[in-house]
Amino acid sequence: PAGRVSGFSGYLLLTILPQLIFGILLVILSALAFILAYRNLRDHTVLNNLRNEFIGNMTHELKTPVATLRVALEALGRYNLRNEPFVLDEYLRLASQETARLEELINRVLDHSLLENNSQSANLSETDLNELISEAVELMKLRLTEGSVTFFRTDREIVVRCDRLYLKSVILNLIDNSLKYCDKTPAVNVFAREEGG
């Protein structure tokens, strides 16, 4: 019939094809940019949480030797311990031991950027668990205001391959939490046993 135009759909499609391809590419690029931005934000949040957790843990780890040092120095200043050389030596030994532990903790923070790389920061060595627990219990006894902490040693050595500093921190935290969150006068008993190797 007169006045009808036929076969125009192919022509129109060819005419708008560049704009259509450009629009699709724009949508794909926008989606990729959104995905990359989301991943960056998620990674940033994970790193931020790791950093906050690390700072919280290190703050907790640094508080223990500082508190022990404070108690030892206060005792040295408050009481005349010259007449009690054994007690004086014990306080000085504990202060020296905690100063060394504090120094080691600080060196580890400075030497290892734990959040930036996955390097192993543990210094593994053969350690007598009885000796390690005894040291931790003696440190906690010094800080006690009420209650008691008692370690029941085994007759034989329990040797473990561990990072001495980290394991001692774990033991100190366990005892500290037991004392801190007890609803009555705390009596903490610590036992060590070997089980199945």
Side-chain angles (χ1 to χ4, degrees):
R4 274 200 172 178
V5 180
S6 60
F8 64 88
S9 55
Y11 171 75
L12 286 176
L13 191 61
L14 279 173
T15 305
I16 63 166
L17 191 61
Q19 286 87 354
L20 195 61
I21 290 171
F22 179 72
I24 291 169
L25 281 173
L26 209 57
V27 168
I28 290 170
L29 285 172
S30 298
L32 283 173
F34 177 77
I35 289 166
L36 286 172
Y38 171 75
R39 281 186 178 170
N40 276 343
L41 188 64
R42 188 189 61 197
D43 291 348
H44 182 71
T45 303
V46 167
L47 283 174
N48 210 21
N49 289 341
L50 281 173
R51 189 197 65 200
N52 290 341
E53 190 178 316
F54 175 75
I55 289 169
N57 286 339
M58 282 315 299
T59 303
H60 194 275
E61 293 304 320
L62 293 170
K63 277 182 180 177
T64 304
V66 168
T68 306
L69 278 169
R70 190 188 72 235
V71 169
L73 292 172
E74 280 176 5
L76 288 172
R78 190 178 301 145
Y79 307 112
N80 184 10
L81 296 176
R82 290 189 184 117
N83 301 329
E84 300 177 60
F86 176 76
V87 178
L88 177 64
D89 287 347
E90 184 64 16
Y91 277 117
L92 289 173
R93 185 187 67 77
L94 287 171
S96 176
Q97 188 179 327
E98 285 302 275
T99 304
R101 193 162 86 87
L102 186 59
E103 184 180 21
E104 193 174 343
L105 279 167
I106 291 167
N107 285 337
R108 287 202 187 184
V109 172
L110 294 173
D111 291 345
H112 300 286
S113 46
L114 296 174
L115 299 177
E116 293 177 5
N117 58 44
N118 272 333
S119 67
Q120 282 290 342
S121 60
N123 294 329
L124 301 178
S125 63
E126 301 288 315
T127 303
D128 178 12
L129 199 55
N130 283 319
E131 181 191 321
L132 196 67
I133 294 172
S134 286
E135 288 175 14
V137 167
E138 288 307 310
L139 288 171
M140 293 313 292
K141 279 182 180 175
L142 184 66
R143 294 174 53 196
L144 273 179
T145 51
E146 61 175 352
S148 64
V149 180
T150 309
F151 174 47
F152 295 90
R153 287 183 76 105
T154 57
D155 294 337
R156 44 186 291 232
E157 276 190 345
I158 300 177
V159 178
V160 292
R161 186 163 171 73
C162 66
D163 186 304
R164 188 179 171 81
L165 180 72
Y166 288 166
L167 187 56
K168 188 173 180 182
S169 294
V170 169
I171 294 164
L172 284 166
N173 286 339
L174 286 170
I175 297 170
D176 191 36
N177 289 339
S178 299
L179 294 167
K180 201 182 292 179
Y181 300 112
C182 186
D183 56 354
K184 50 188 175 241
T185 303
V188 179
N189 296 323
V190 185
F191 301 88
R193 72 171 183 264
E194 200 168 2
E195 203 171 277

